[in-house]
Coordinates of all heavy atoms in Angstrom, one line a residue:
M1 N 105.4 77.4 118.2 CA 106.2 78.3 117.3 C 105.9 78.1 115.9 O 105.6 77.0 115.4 CB 107.7 77.9 117.4 CG 108.3 78.3 118.8 SD 108.4 80.0 119.1 CE 110.2 80.1 119.6
E2 N 105.7 79.1 115.2 CA 105.5 79.2 113.8 C 106.6 79.8 113.0 O 107.3 80.6 113.4 CB 104.2 80.0 113.5 CG 102.9 79.3 113.9 CD 101.8 80.0 113.6 OE1 101.5 80.2 112.5 OE2 101.0 80.4 114.6
I3 N 106.8 79.3 111.9 CA 107.8 79.7 111.0 C 107.2 80.8 110.1 O 106.2 80.5 109.4 CB 108.5 78.5 110.2 CG1 109.2 77.6 111.1 CG2 109.4 79.1 109.1 CD1 109.6 76.3 110.4
I4 N 107.9 81.9 110.1 CA 107.5 83.1 109.2 C 108.4 83.1 108.0 O 109.6 83.1 108.2 CB 107.5 84.2 110.1 CG1 106.5 84.3 111.1 CG2 107.2 85.5 109.2 CD1 107.0 85.0 112.4
R5 N 107.8 83.1 106.9 CA 108.5 83.1 105.6 C 108.2 84.4 104.9 O 107.1 84.9 105.0 CB 108.3 81.9 104.8 CG 108.9 80.7 105.3 CD 108.8 79.4 104.4 NE 109.3 78.4 105.0 CZ 110.6 77.9 104.9 NH1 111.3 78.8 104.2 NH2 111.2 76.9 105.4
C6 N 109.1 84.8 104.1 CA 108.9 86.0 103.2 C 107.8 85.7 102.1 O 108.0 84.6 101.4 CB 110.2 86.4 102.7 SG 110.0 87.8 101.3
G7 N 106.9 86.3 101.9 CA 105.9 86.3 100.9 C 106.4 86.3 99.5 O 105.9 85.8 98.5
A8 N 107.5 87.1 99.4 CA 108.0 87.4 98.1 C 109.0 86.3 97.6 O 109.0 85.8 96.5 CB 108.6 88.8 98.0
C9 N 110.0 86.0 98.5 CA 111.1 85.1 98.0 C 111.1 83.9 98.9 O 112.0 83.0 98.7 CB 112.4 85.8 98.1 SG 113.0 86.2 99.8
N10 N 110.4 83.8 99.9 CA 110.1 82.5 100.6 C 111.3 82.3 101.5 O 111.4 81.1 102.0 CB 109.8 81.3 99.7 CG 108.9 80.3 100.4 OD1 108.0 80.7 101.1 ND2 109.2 78.9 100.2
R11 N 112.1 83.2 101.9 CA 113.1 83.1 102.7 C 112.6 83.0 104.2 O 111.6 83.6 104.4 CB 114.0 84.2 102.8 CG 115.3 84.2 103.6 CD 115.9 85.6 103.6 NE 117.3 85.5 104.1 CZ 117.7 85.5 105.3 NH1 116.8 85.4 106.3 NH2 118.9 85.4 105.6
K12 N 113.1 82.1 105.0 CA 112.7 82.1 106.4 C 113.1 83.2 107.1 O 114.3 83.7 107.1 CB 113.3 80.7 106.9 CG 112.9 80.6 108.4 CD 113.4 79.4 109.0 CE 113.4 79.2 110.5 NZ 114.0 78.2 111.1
L13 N 112.2 83.9 107.8 CA 112.5 85.2 108.5 C 112.6 84.9 109.9 O 113.5 85.6 110.6 CB 111.4 86.2 108.1 CG 111.2 86.6 106.6 CD1 110.0 87.5 106.5 CD2 112.5 87.3 106.0
A14 N 111.7 84.1 110.4 CA 111.7 84.1 112.0 C 110.9 82.8 112.3 O 110.1 82.3 111.6 CB 111.2 85.3 112.6
E15 N 111.2 82.5 113.7 CA 110.2 81.6 114.2 C 109.7 82.2 115.5 O 110.4 82.8 116.2 CB 111.0 80.3 114.7 CG 111.1 79.2 113.5 CD 111.9 78.0 114.0 OE1 111.5 77.5 115.1 OE2 112.9 77.7 113.5
A16 N 108.4 82.2 115.5 CA 107.9 83.0 116.7 C 106.4 82.6 117.0 O 105.8 81.8 116.3 CB 107.9 84.5 116.4
E17 N 106.0 83.0 118.2 CA 104.7 83.0 118.5 C 104.1 84.4 118.5 O 104.7 85.3 119.2 CB 104.5 82.6 120.1 CG 105.0 81.2 120.2 CD 103.9 80.3 120.7 OE1 102.7 80.5 120.6 OE2 104.3 79.1 121.3
Y18 N 103.3 84.7 117.6 CA 102.9 86.1 117.4 C 101.3 86.2 117.3 O 100.7 85.3 117.0 CB 103.6 86.6 116.2 CG 103.2 85.8 115.0 CD1 102.1 86.1 114.2 CD2 104.0 84.5 114.6 CE1 101.8 85.5 112.9 CE2 103.6 84.0 113.4 CZ 102.5 84.3 112.6 OH 102.2 83.6 111.6
I19 N 101.0 87.5 117.4 CA 99.6 87.9 117.2 C 99.7 88.7 115.8 O 99.0 88.4 114.9 CB 99.0 88.7 118.2 CG1 99.0 87.9 119.5 CG2 97.6 89.2 117.9 CD1 98.6 88.6 120.7
R20 N 100.4 89.6 115.8 CA 100.7 90.5 114.6 C 102.2 90.7 114.5 O 102.9 91.1 115.6 CB 99.9 91.8 114.6 CG 98.4 91.5 114.3 CD 97.7 92.8 114.1 NE 97.8 93.7 115.2 CZ 97.3 94.9 115.2 NH1 96.8 95.4 114.1 NH2 97.5 95.7 116.2
L21 N 102.6 90.8 113.5 CA 104.1 90.9 113.1 C 104.3 91.6 111.9 O 103.7 91.3 110.8 CB 104.8 89.7 113.2 CG 106.3 89.7 113.1 CD1 107.0 90.3 114.4 CD2 106.8 88.3 112.9
S22 N 105.3 92.6 111.9 CA 105.7 93.3 110.6 C 107.3 93.1 110.6 O 108.0 93.5 111.4 CB 105.3 94.7 110.7 OG 105.8 95.4 109.5
I23 N 107.7 92.4 109.5 CA 109.0 92.1 109.4 C 109.6 92.4 107.9 O 108.9 91.9 106.9 CB 109.3 90.7 109.9 CG1 110.9 90.4 110.0 CG2 108.7 89.7 109.1 CD1 111.2 89.2 110.8
K24 N 110.7 92.9 107.9 CA 111.3 93.1 106.6 C 112.4 92.1 106.2 O 113.2 91.7 107.0 CB 112.0 94.5 106.5 CG 112.4 94.9 105.2 CD 113.1 96.3 105.3 CE 113.6 96.8 103.8 NZ 114.3 98.0 104.1
C25 N 112.1 91.5 105.0 CA 113.0 90.6 104.6 C 114.4 91.2 104.2 O 114.5 92.0 103.4 CB 112.3 89.9 103.3 SG 113.4 88.7 102.6
P26 N 115.3 90.5 104.8 CA 116.7 90.9 104.6 C 117.2 90.7 103.2 O 118.3 91.3 102.8 CB 117.6 90.3 105.6 CG 116.8 89.1 106.0 CD 115.3 89.5 105.8
R27 N 116.6 89.7 102.6 CA 117.1 89.4 101.3 C 116.5 90.2 100.1 O 117.4 90.7 99.3 CB 116.8 87.8 101.0 CG 117.5 87.4 99.8 CD 116.6 86.3 99.1 NE 117.1 84.8 99.3 CZ 116.6 83.8 98.9 NH1 115.4 83.9 98.4 NH2 117.1 82.7 99.2
C28 N 115.3 90.3 100.1 CA 114.7 91.0 99.0 C 114.0 92.3 99.4 O 113.6 93.2 98.5 CB 113.5 90.1 98.3 SG 112.0 89.9 99.2
G29 N 113.9 92.6 100.6 CA 113.5 93.8 101.2 C 112.0 94.0 101.3 O 111.5 95.0 101.5
A30 N 111.3 92.9 100.9 CA 109.8 93.0 101.1 C 109.4 93.1 102.6 O 110.0 92.5 103.3 CB 109.2 91.8 100.4
I31 N 108.4 93.9 102.8 CA 107.9 93.9 104.2 C 106.7 92.9 104.3 O 105.7 93.0 103.6 CB 107.4 95.3 104.5 CG1 108.7 96.3 104.6 CG2 106.7 95.3 105.8 CD1 108.4 97.7 104.7
N32 N 106.8 92.0 105.2 CA 105.9 91.0 105.4 C 105.1 91.4 106.7 O 105.6 91.5 107.7 CB 106.5 89.6 105.6 CG 107.1 89.2 104.3 OD1 106.6 88.5 103.5 ND2 108.5 89.6 104.1
Q33 N 103.8 91.4 106.5 CA 102.9 91.6 107.7 C 102.1 90.3 107.9 O 101.3 89.9 106.9 CB 102.1 92.8 107.5 CG 102.9 94.1 107.5 CD 102.0 95.3 107.4 OE1 101.0 95.3 106.9 NE2 102.4 96.3 108.3
V34 N 102.3 89.8 109.0 CA 101.4 88.6 109.3 C 100.7 88.6 110.5 O 101.0 89.4 111.5 CB 102.5 87.4 109.4 CG1 103.1 87.0 108.0 CG2 103.6 87.7 110.3
K35 N 99.6 87.9 110.5 CA 98.7 87.8 111.6 C 98.5 86.4 112.0 O 98.7 85.5 111.2 CB 97.3 88.3 111.1 CG 96.9 89.8 111.6 CD 95.5 90.1 111.5 CE 95.2 90.8 110.3 NZ 93.8 91.2 110.2
A36 N 98.3 86.1 113.2 CA 98.2 84.8 113.7 C 97.0 84.2 113.0 O 95.9 84.8 112.9 CB 98.0 84.8 115.3
A37 N 97.1 83.1 112.7 CA 96.0 82.2 112.1 C 94.9 82.0 113.1 O 95.2 82.1 114.4 CB 96.4 80.9 111.6
S38 N 93.8 81.7 112.8 CA 92.7 81.6 113.7 C 93.0 80.8 115.0 O 93.1 79.6 115.0 CB 91.4 80.9 113.0 OG 91.8 79.7 112.5
R39 N 93.2 81.6 116.0 CA 93.5 81.1 117.3 C 92.4 81.2 118.3 O 92.5 81.7 119.4 CB 94.7 81.8 117.8 CG 96.0 81.3 117.5 CD 96.6 80.2 118.4 NE 97.9 79.8 117.9 CZ 99.0 80.3 118.5 NH1 98.9 81.0 119.7 NH2 100.1 79.8 118.2
E40 N 91.3 80.7 117.9 CA 90.1 80.8 118.8 C 89.6 79.4 119.1 O 88.8 78.9 118.4 CB 89.1 81.6 118.2 CG 89.5 83.1 118.3 CD 88.5 84.0 117.6 OE1 87.2 83.9 117.8 OE2 88.8 84.9 116.8
P41 N 90.1 78.9 120.2 CA 89.7 77.6 120.6 C 88.3 77.5 121.2 O 87.8 78.7 121.7 CB 90.7 77.1 121.6 CG 91.3 78.4 122.2 CD 91.0 79.4 121.2
E42 N 87.6 76.4 121.3 CA 86.4 76.3 121.9 C 85.5 77.5 121.9 O 85.5 78.3 122.6 CB 86.5 75.7 123.3 CG 87.0 77.0 124.3 CD 87.9 76.4 125.4 OE1 89.0 75.9 124.9 OE2 87.6 76.3 126.6
R43 N 84.6 77.5 120.7 CA 83.8 78.6 120.6 C 82.3 78.3 120.8 O 81.5 79.2 121.2 CB 83.9 79.3 119.3 CG 84.8 80.6 119.4 CD 83.9 81.8 119.1 NE 84.4 82.9 119.4 CZ 84.3 84.1 118.7 NH1 83.7 84.0 117.6 NH2 84.8 85.2 119.0
H44 N 81.9 77.1 120.8 CA 80.5 76.8 120.7 C 80.1 76.1 122.1 O 80.4 74.9 122.3 CB 80.0 76.1 119.6 CG 81.1 75.3 118.8 ND1 81.2 73.9 118.9 CD2 82.1 75.8 118.1 CE1 82.2 73.5 118.1 NE2 82.9 74.6 117.7
G45 N 79.4 76.8 122.9 CA 78.7 76.2 124.0 C 79.5 75.5 124.9 O 79.2 74.6 125.6
A46 N 80.8 75.9 125.2 CA 81.7 75.4 126.2 C 81.4 75.9 127.7 O 81.7 75.2 128.5 CB 83.1 75.5 125.8
S47 N 80.9 77.1 127.7 CA 80.7 77.6 129.0 C 79.3 77.4 129.5 O 78.4 78.2 129.3 CB 81.0 79.1 129.0 OG 80.3 79.8 128.0
V48 N 79.2 76.4 130.2 CA 77.8 76.0 130.8 C 77.7 76.4 132.2 O 76.5 76.3 132.7 CB 77.6 74.5 130.5 CG1 76.1 74.1 130.7 CG2 78.1 74.0 129.3
R49 N 78.8 76.8 132.8 CA 78.7 77.0 134.3 C 78.1 78.2 134.7 O 77.7 78.4 135.9 CB 80.1 77.0 134.8 CG 81.0 75.9 134.4 CD 82.4 76.1 134.8 NE 83.1 74.8 134.9 CZ 84.3 74.8 135.3 NH1 85.0 75.9 135.8 NH2 85.1 73.6 135.4
K50 N 78.0 79.2 133.8 CA 77.6 80.5 134.1 C 76.3 80.6 135.2 O 76.5 81.2 136.1 CB 77.2 81.3 132.9 CG 78.4 82.3 132.5 CD 78.1 83.2 131.4 CE 79.2 83.9 130.9 NZ 78.9 84.6 129.6
G51 N 75.4 79.9 134.8 CA 74.2 79.9 135.6 C 74.3 79.3 137.0 O 73.8 79.9 137.9
T52 N 75.1 78.3 137.1 CA 75.2 77.6 138.4 C 76.1 78.3 139.4 O 76.2 78.0 140.6 CB 75.6 76.2 138.2 OG1 76.8 76.2 137.5 CG2 74.6 75.4 137.6
L53 N 77.0 79.2 138.9 CA 78.0 79.8 139.8 C 77.4 80.7 140.9 O 77.8 80.7 141.9 CB 78.9 80.8 138.9 CG 80.3 80.0 138.6 CD1 81.1 81.1 137.7 CD2 81.1 79.8 139.8
H54 N 76.3 81.2 140.6 CA 75.7 82.1 141.6 C 75.3 81.5 142.9 O 75.5 82.1 143.9 CB 74.3 82.7 140.9 CG 74.6 84.1 140.4 ND1 74.7 85.2 141.2 CD2 74.5 84.6 139.1 CE1 74.8 86.2 140.4 NE2 74.7 85.8 139.2
A55 N 74.9 80.3 142.9 CA 74.4 79.7 144.1 C 75.5 79.5 145.1 O 75.2 79.7 146.3 CB 73.9 78.2 143.7
T56 N 76.8 79.3 144.7 CA 77.8 79.0 145.6 C 78.9 80.2 145.7 O 79.9 80.0 146.0 CB 78.6 77.7 145.4 OG1 78.9 77.8 144.0 CG2 77.7 76.5 145.4
S57 N 78.3 81.4 145.4 CA 79.2 82.5 145.5 C 79.7 82.7 146.8 O 79.0 82.9 147.8 CB 78.4 83.7 145.0 OG 79.2 84.9 145.2
P58 N 81.1 82.8 147.1 CA 81.7 83.1 148.3 C 81.6 84.5 148.8 O 81.5 84.7 150.0 CB 83.1 82.7 148.1 CG 83.4 82.8 146.6 CD 82.0 82.5 145.9
E59 N 81.4 85.4 147.9 CA 81.1 86.9 148.3 C 79.9 87.0 149.2 O 79.9 87.6 150.1 CB 81.1 87.6 147.1 CG 82.4 88.0 146.5 CD 82.2 88.8 145.2 OE1 81.4 89.7 145.1 OE2 83.0 88.4 144.2
A60 N 78.9 86.3 148.8 CA 77.6 86.4 149.5 C 77.7 85.9 150.9 O 77.1 86.4 151.8 CB 76.5 85.7 148.8
A61 N 78.6 84.8 151.1 CA 78.7 84.2 152.4 C 79.5 85.1 153.4 O 79.2 85.0 154.5 CB 79.3 82.8 152.3
T62 N 80.4 85.9 152.8 CA 81.3 86.7 153.6 C 80.7 87.9 154.1 O 81.2 88.7 154.9 CB 82.7 86.8 153.1 OG1 82.5 87.3 151.8 CG2 83.4 85.6 153.0
Q63 N 79.6 88.3 153.4 CA 79.0 89.6 153.8 C 78.4 89.6 155.1 O 77.5 88.7 155.3 CB 77.9 90.0 152.8 CG 78.5 90.3 151.3 CD 79.0 91.8 151.3 OE1 78.6 92.6 152.0 NE2 80.0 92.2 150.4
P64 N 78.6 90.5 155.9 CA 77.9 90.5 157.3 C 76.4 90.8 157.1 O 76.1 91.7 156.4 CB 78.7 91.6 158.2 CG 79.3 92.5 157.1 CD 79.6 91.5 155.8
A65 N 75.5 90.2 157.7 CA 74.2 90.5 157.7 C 73.9 91.8 158.4 O 74.4 92.0 159.6 CB 73.4 89.2 158.3
L66 N 73.1 92.6 157.7 CA 72.8 93.8 158.4 C 71.5 93.8 159.2 O 70.5 93.3 158.7 CB 72.5 94.9 157.2 CG 73.9 95.2 156.4 CD1 73.6 96.0 155.4 CD2 74.9 95.9 157.3
Ligands
ZN1 ZN1 112.1 88.0 100.7

């Protein structure tokens, strides 16, 4: 959960898990538009299995031979 605060008066507006959110501050009336901060885990070279998956594909095994 993240705490969302008004950008104008710093009042706490909500606690949420969000991607994008538009919320109006009840105190000062400012509309706050917030986006989730960089939520992109493991981006570099984590997927090494791609190449090896083919060899043991279950689909190929269940196909009847023609
Ligand atoms: Zn405010």
Side-chain angles (χ1 to χ4, degrees):
M1 292 288 233
E2 285 184 59
I3 295 169
I4 295 149
R5 287 183 181 277
C6 175
C9 70
N10 212 38
R11 183 192 200 275
K12 180 180 164 186
L13 299 174
E15 277 181 52
E17 297 240 21
Y18 60 90
I19 299 171
R20 286 191 300 171
L21 181 72
S22 177
I23 187 167
K24 186 178 179 182
C25 175
R27 190 212 256 176
C28 72
I31 292 172
N32 295 268
Q33 292 190 319
V34 287
K35 256 195 260 183
S38 56
R39 271 273 184 102
E40 286 176 50
E42 73 219 62
R43 253 250 168 146
H44 24 107
S47 53
V48 196
R49 320 176 151 176
K50 258 185 192 167
T52 52
L53 260 176
H54 260 289
T56 52
S57 172
E59 278 175 43
T62 51
Q63 291 280 337
L66 295 173

